[in-house]
Amino acid sequence: MTDPNAIQPSELDQLPDRDPEETAEWQASLDAVAKAAGPHRAAYLMRRTLERAEGNGIALPKLLETDYVNTIPTAAEPGVPGDEEMESRITAWNRWNAAAMVSRGSKHGVGGHIATFASAAWLYETGFNHFFKGKEADGSGDQLYIQGHASPGIYARAFLDGRLTEAHLDNFRQEAGGNGLPSYPHPRRLPWLWEFPTVSMGLGPLSAIYQARFNRYLTARGIKDVSSSHVWAFLGDGEMDEPESTAALALASREGLDNLTFVINCNLQRLDGPVRANFKIVQELEAQFRGAGWNVVKTLWGTAWDELFALDTTGALVRRLREVPDAQVQTYQTRDAAYIREDFFGKDPELVEMAKLLSDDKILECFHLSRGGHEARKVYAAYKAALDHKGAPTVILAQTVKGFTLGEGFASKNANHQMKKLTVDEFKKMRDLLELPISDSQFVDGQVPYGHPGADSPEVRYLQERRAALGGPAPARRAHALAPLPSPAEKAFASFDKGSGTQNVATTMAFVRLIKDLVRDKETGKRWVPIVPDEARTFGMESLFPSLGIYSPKGQTYEPVDRDQLMYYKEAKNGQILNEGITEAGSMADFIAASTAYSTHGEAMIPFYIFYSMFGWQRTADQMWQLGDQLGRGFLVGATAGRTTLTGEGLQHADGHSPVIAATNPAALTYDPAFAYEVATIVKDGLRRMYGEAAPGEDPNVFYYLTVYNEPLPQPAKPAGLGIDEGIVKGLYRFNTAESAGLSPVANAPRIQLLGSGTAIHWVLEAQKLLAEEWGIAADVWSATSWTELRRDALEADAALLRGEERVPYVRQALHGAEGPVLAVSDYMRQVPDQIAQWVDQDYSSLGADGFGLSDTREAARRHFGVDAQSIVVAALAQLARRGEVKATAVKEAREQYGL
């Protein structure tokens, strides 16, 4: 019979054996050990041999899992260089106030989460006391991505530190009055404290990786040396199920981001139950991170387990820990010693004998209380190991108990994420457990009191001294008083005013040409951060490769295949372009890091991220909300935009709705420019608002979304006259009239106002000509650069009227006195132009590309959606016919004439 474990001939062919006799001896030795000492001993020897090989630099596949024990043995743990008793008292106060804050708030029905911080308290406190650098430290200090549901504990510490008051805590989740605390980390709502919004789970870990990488980018390009800054990301083990959480692990290891540490709070629970009920999430994560090239540190068991491991002379305990599923570990947390003796120890005769040496109290101490993530000594050792490790990022898998110290009603219960309060009796038990000096008399009318040892107490002085030594308070967001960036040379923008003459130019190409000029600017050129997800050649950006270089920490270790060409693929250690490969999510994380560098690092950077418009807001809109939450600034560019412009690519590439989604984000200024000079004008004004001198009342903490098109078309010169630039920025201006277009309508001809945005204005201009020449209709053409900004201005005007202020919406002002009805057209669903309908005094109708896209020619697609020039003519005639200004038969005649 063939041995199924033997190396098969096909494998031998690929891996020649130079000494079969020696190989056979090794195999026989392994067989002998397995037979004499059992398979567990054989497995042990194999693991130790593999570890030795890896330590000696022998090229072997990595060992992806280690035993379910601490990576750092107790004997190898460094001492904690502080007052552990003092830190324990500080942590007790923070535990208390975090729970009190949420419980008090629950009386108002606002909810909150208690159990997460209860499990993670020591993970944060050890960092705050010994590791996390504040803004006054070297570089820019550390960047802390706090687990969203742990925010009450961070508020509690800020209260102890004197940065928050009881009034703040009593306004947790009650922000309308202006003195409240947001539920989760939120820079837009509490901008002096929070740097990074993290509660949209999965985005925190992804952003942390790209933040660490952007730190390297800033240093490599000589913008600012932030090599001493470290990025810490605090995550839940359940959060790691989000695909974004692990999407960029390989990037972090590939680029050797040893300035990054993930701390995963492995309390084994999701929001509704166990993370891996029948399996072991720690082991799964270890394999995943090791496989991706990360350094893994497991901090699972507290010091109470040392006695048990010392008794484990055969490895039976380690084997049992490896085989018990997570849900059963959670069950042990809630059961008595008798149950644990029978279910855990009773499965193995060697463990039965071990249990006889253990008291019930010892068993309960180990299984109920002693976890590595709950002991400062264990956490300190893990953090120090992470900082000492070079060449790769580190993940710390810290095992904890969800709801720890909150009492039997909370600890490890499946429902504890939804449990918002403790009873008075439960609080008193917690007080006694934490040994806090809070008397029964302080519980007035059933209200749990906040606790504070006093502003001049030893605890507060110790806390503040530790933070001072580490560079100031943390977390903290710095609002740097940066000097406005100088405006780029005017000629970069003015060159588009004269148009393209007889040359056809797509607005995508116009934008790229503008950027090429702007990155050459001596003052601000180096601050541009071009970001593209492996489509640079699609957008005509390959000309930037040789001049700017593509950022790579290794530079270029090969000779590119196109080196003999002018626009060859050039990577460089100080490259300016971030060419991310096929990852819109990674590109957005890049953009967020760059767009907030003005705050994180005190350096104004100007990112632009160019992408297929269909794959932006549809795919990564959650990150675009994160961008707005984090007060990011920059330019998002949806290229190859529109539903009918890139029709050869088919339905999945046909964007008919991105402006609709963008309009929902208050921080996004959405523009659909038709002409190259409009693109230049919008970018110029965006630079002024975000990086220069913002006008009174203007918020600089916005970002721009521009749609640009890949269809080469004539680019006209900017019309002469006052107010054109203002109209472009505000969203609407008259491009021409029938008369200025040289169409010479007859006297008293019916008139209509045609509004077009983006590429649609070219169909509108064709329709203007057809209406005049074939139907005797005078049409004026307006360029609607931003339907969304017109709507927002109108909404603000409505709100002003309710306050008793007289204000007329800009769209109404612009169209005032314009004769005839209004017909609006875009290459998007009608919902886009319909945003302004209620503020247009004239009769209003619209055309758009509603429905699914399709593959065909542009002309056929536009006819299909009814937005081509002939369809616009028919719609215009129908509008005028309803008003009695043309004969109703004209509509039918036009339909027949154009084959509609």
Side-chain angles (χ1 to χ4, degrees):
M1 180 179 293
T2 302
D3 182 357
N5 297 316
I7 297 178
Q8 299 303 306
S10 61
E11 296 178 49
L12 287 173
D13 292 341
Q14 298 299 318
L15 190 64
D17 190 345
R18 294 185 299 176
D19 192 340
E21 185 176 345
E22 181 183 38
T23 303
E25 290 175 357
W26 277 74
Q27 292 173 334
S29 296
L30 182 64
D31 292 342
V33 171
K35 184 176 181 180
H40 296 304
R41 177 62 180 169
Y44 176 86
L45 291 175
M46 287 298 299
R47 294 177 74 85
R48 292 296 175 262
T49 302
L50 288 171
E51 288 173 358
R52 174 61 63 88
E54 185 175 339
N56 289 338
I58 298 173
L60 284 172
K62 288 188 177 295
L63 191 65
L64 295 186
E65 285 187 37
T66 60
D67 287 325
Y68 202 66
V69 296
N70 294 349
T71 302
I72 304 170
T74 300
E77 292 169 358
V80 180
D83 187 333
E84 292 189 55
E85 182 181 348
M86 183 69 72
E87 291 174 18
S88 181
R89 293 207 300 271
I90 292 170
T91 305
W93 285 116
N94 291 338
R95 287 182 180 279
W96 177 270
N97 287 323
M101 179 195 334
V102 176
S103 290
R104 288 166 69 121
S106 67
K107 294 185 176 181
H108 303 287
V110 297
H113 300 288
I114 302 177
T116 295
F117 178 73
S119 68
W122 275 113
L123 301 180
Y124 291 107
E125 288 301 319
T126 304
F128 285 130
N129 288 324
H130 300 286
F131 292 96
F132 304 157
K133 288 174 286 190
K135 294 298 182 183
E136 303 304 322
D138 292 340
S140 305
D142 289 351
Q143 288 81 56
L144 307 181
Y145 288 76
I146 304 295
Q147 190 180 359
H149 294 123
S151 62
I154 308 304
Y155 291 141
R157 194 170 214 274
F159 169 63
L160 204 65
D161 193 11
R163 294 198 289 164
L164 293 175
T165 66
E166 286 194 16
H168 285 111
L169 301 191
D170 267 343
N171 281 309
F172 175 62
R173 291 193 169 197
Q174 299 173 71
E175 300 178 74
N179 196 35
L181 300 179
S183 310
Y184 306 120
H186 208 303
R188 190 168 285 276
R189 287 289 179 243
L190 202 62
W192 60 267
L193 180 72
W194 298 119
E195 279 195 282
F196 308 108
T198 55
V199 86
S200 186
M201 287 188 283
L203 298 190
L206 179 66
S207 293
I209 290 173
Y210 280 88
Q211 181 66 57
R213 182 171 183 259
F214 189 74
N215 290 358
R216 291 280 175 85
Y217 172 89
L218 280 182
T219 301
R221 290 197 53 221
I223 302 293
K224 184 178 181 179
D225 184 358
V226 294
S227 55
S228 61
S229 291
H230 199 85
V231 177
W232 300 82
F234 289 84
L235 318 167
D237 47 359
E239 181 177 5
M240 299 311 294
D241 283 347
E242 291 282 7
E244 296 89 348
S245 295
T246 55
L249 297 187
L251 167 72
S253 61
R254 183 170 65 242
E255 300 204 359
L257 298 181
D258 50 22
N259 61 337
L260 170 69
T261 298
F262 276 16
V263 181
I264 303 182
N265 178 17
C266 298
N267 57 34
L268 314 184
Q269 290 185 245
R270 288 192 187 120
L271 308 187
D272 290 328
V275 179
R276 293 289 183 273
N278 296 296
F279 305 94
K280 301 190 79 63
I281 185 60
V282 169
Q283 299 299 89
E284 179 180 319
L285 291 174
E286 178 184 30
Q288 193 169 14
F289 277 87
R290 281 187 185 275
W294 286 53
N295 176 45
V296 178
V297 177
K298 293 198 290 192
T299 302
L300 308 180
W301 308 111
T303 53
W305 282 83
D306 289 347
E307 180 181 340
L308 275 67
F309 288 124
L311 295 172
D312 185 29
T313 58
T314 65
L317 176 62
V318 173
R319 291 195 299 272
R320 181 65 178 141
L321 289 174
R322 192 164 61 236
E323 69 188 21
V324 175
D326 282 353
Q328 192 63 27
V329 173
Q330 184 180 344
T331 298
Y332 294 149
Q333 179 69 34
T334 65
R335 299 301 175 88
D336 60 20
Y339 177 89
I340 298 170
R341 284 183 186 277
E342 178 181 352
D343 192 86
F344 181 83
F345 292 97
K347 303 295 185 182
D348 187 305
E350 294 177 350
L351 293 182
V352 170
E353 295 304 312
M354 179 188 293
K356 292 177 181 178
L357 303 176
L358 304 174
S359 68
D360 285 355
D361 287 345
K362 183 64 178 181
I363 289 175
L364 293 178
E365 179 186 14
C366 288
F367 284 83
H368 285 192
L369 303 175
S370 189
R371 299 292 187 275
H374 295 321
E375 295 188 14
R377 181 184 176 94
K378 304 291 185 184
V379 176
Y380 182 90
Y383 286 5
K384 188 174 187 304
L387 294 184
D388 288 346
H389 187 83
K390 301 304 177 186
T394 294
V395 59
I396 295 168
L397 304 174
Q399 187 160 277
T400 66
V401 174
K402 194 168 186 178
F404 189 65
T405 74
L406 296 181
E408 295 179 358
F410 265 84
S412 284
K413 294 298 176 66
N414 280 337
N416 62 20
H417 188 77
Q418 304 303 324
M419 297 162 69
K420 311 302 182 186
K421 60 184 178 179
L422 284 74
T423 66
V424 169
D425 286 341
E426 287 172 329
F427 264 112
K428 289 179 179 178
K429 289 179 182 178
M430 181 182 177
R431 171 201 62 189
D432 296 340
L433 175 65
L434 298 176
E435 299 180 346
L436 291 172
I438 298 174
S439 66
D440 287 354
S441 63
Q442 291 177 260
F443 290 80
V444 179
D445 297 329
Q447 177 86 299
V448 57
Y450 294 120
H452 200 293
D456 196 40
S457 64
E459 292 92 337
V460 172
R461 288 201 306 272
Y462 181 89
L463 181 155
Q464 293 175 341
E465 287 168 2
R466 292 304 309 139
R467 289 312 315 156
L470 288 166
R477 182 178 180 275
R478 179 67 57 83
H480 295 272
L482 298 179
L485 292 182
S487 299
E490 179 62 27
K491 64 179 181 180
F493 305 103
S495 63
F496 293 90
D497 290 352
K498 60 184 179 182
S500 63
T502 59
Q503 182 183 7
N504 289 341
V505 177
T507 50
T508 297
M509 297 309 300
F511 176 81
V512 171
R513 182 188 140 192
L514 173 63
I515 294 300
K516 287 173 64 177
D517 291 340
L518 293 175
V519 296
R520 294 192 187 106
D521 186 84
K522 292 181 180 179
E523 295 291 335
T524 60
K526 68 178 182 179
R527 298 196 173 271
W528 284 88
V529 183
I531 302 168
V532 60
D534 199 34
E535 289 280 6
R537 298 183 191 278
T538 301
F539 307 136
M541 291 175 58
E542 66 268 30
S543 61
L544 298 178
F545 289 169
S547 58
L548 301 184
I550 299 165
Y551 170 71
S552 169
K554 288 185 175 291
Q556 193 153 39
T557 61
Y558 60 92
E559 182 178 356
V561 68
D562 55 358
R563 182 62 184 86
D564 58 339
Q565 298 178 17
L566 181 62
M567 294 182 287
Y568 70 97
Y569 194 85
K570 178 185 175 182
E571 295 187 84
K573 291 182 179 180
N574 63 346
Q576 192 165 350
I577 301 170
L578 294 173
N579 192 359
E580 292 304 2
I582 305 175
T583 168
E584 286 83 6
S587 298
M588 269 306 302
D590 264 339
F591 188 90
I592 292 169
S595 69
T596 53
Y598 73 92
S599 172
T600 308
H601 296 298
E603 296 288 344
M605 304 299 289
I606 312 171
F608 78 87
Y609 164 36
I610 188 167
F611 51 89
Y612 268 92
S613 66
M614 185 66 164
F615 304 146
W617 287 89
Q618 172 170 287
R619 182 169 288 185
T620 55
D622 194 11
Q623 287 176 285
M624 291 165 183
W625 276 99
Q626 181 189 14
L627 168 65
D629 292 346
Q630 203 166 315
L631 287 74
R633 305 170 183 174
F635 297 95
L636 297 176
V637 183
T640 60
R643 180 146 280 163
T644 70
T645 304
L646 192 69
T647 53
E649 298 285 353
L651 181 152
Q652 288 188 318
H653 286 63
D655 172 23
H657 59 282
S658 70
V660 178
I661 306 175
T664 65
N665 191 310
L669 277 59
T670 303
Y671 286 90
D672 186 24
F675 305 124
Y677 67 79
E678 294 178 353
V679 173
T681 301
I682 293 165
V683 170
K684 178 183 176 182
D685 192 70
L687 290 173
R688 174 199 62 79
R689 176 169 178 170
M690 295 185 291
Y691 300 97
E693 297 282 0
E698 278 187 326
D699 182 3
N701 297 317
V702 295
F703 60 93
Y704 284 65
Y705 175 55
L706 280 69
T707 49
V708 292
Y709 299 82
N710 71 320
E711 184 176 10
L713 291 165
Q715 296 297 325
K718 181 188 288 189
L722 298 174
I724 296 297
D725 284 2
E726 179 189 23
I728 292 172
V729 172
K730 288 191 172 182
L732 183 67
Y733 69 96
R734 183 156 49 196
F735 176 73
N736 70 18
T737 63
E739 292 77 9
S740 67
L743 297 175
S744 304
V746 299
N748 299 319
R751 187 172 291 269
I752 190 170
Q753 307 299 317
L754 301 179
L755 279 58
S757 69
T759 195
I761 204 166
H762 296 279
W763 327 326
V764 168
L765 288 168
E766 186 181 348
Q768 179 191 38
K769 185 177 180 181
L770 291 174
L771 283 166
E773 294 177 351
E774 299 183 5
W775 304 95
I777 306 297
D780 301 336
V781 173
W782 300 70
S783 179
T785 54
S786 180
W787 309 100
T788 302
E789 287 306 295
L790 292 173
R791 175 180 175 81
R792 288 177 178 169
D793 171 80
L795 290 171
E796 291 172 6
D798 286 355
L801 284 173
L802 293 176
R803 295 192 300 268
E805 305 170 18
E806 287 296 326
R807 182 173 163 191
V808 179
Y810 174 79
V811 63
R812 187 168 289 158
Q813 295 178 46
L815 291 172
H816 179 69
E819 298 178 35
V822 170
L823 175 60
V825 187
S826 84
D827 201 17
Y828 300 94
M829 56 197 303
R830 289 175 60 184
Q831 187 175 341
V832 174
D834 284 352
Q835 290 180 87
I836 67 169
Q838 71 186 81
W839 294 282
V840 175
D841 292 334
Q842 295 88 341
D843 291 341
Y844 187 90
S845 66
S846 64
L847 295 176
D850 287 77
F852 287 110
L854 75 166
S855 295
D856 211 312
T857 64
R858 291 174 179 138
E859 293 76 14
R862 287 162 189 166
R863 175 58 59 93
H864 170 80
F865 286 110
V867 293
D868 61 346
Q870 292 78 12
S871 298
I872 294 171
V873 168
V874 171
L877 291 172
Q879 245 185 314
L880 292 167
R882 285 194 295 271
R883 295 163 56 93
E885 297 183 30
V886 300
K887 295 180 180 179
T889 55
V891 180
K892 180 181 178 182
E893 291 173 15
R895 282 202 305 267
E896 293 174 350
Q897 178 176 330
Y898 298 134
L900 297 176

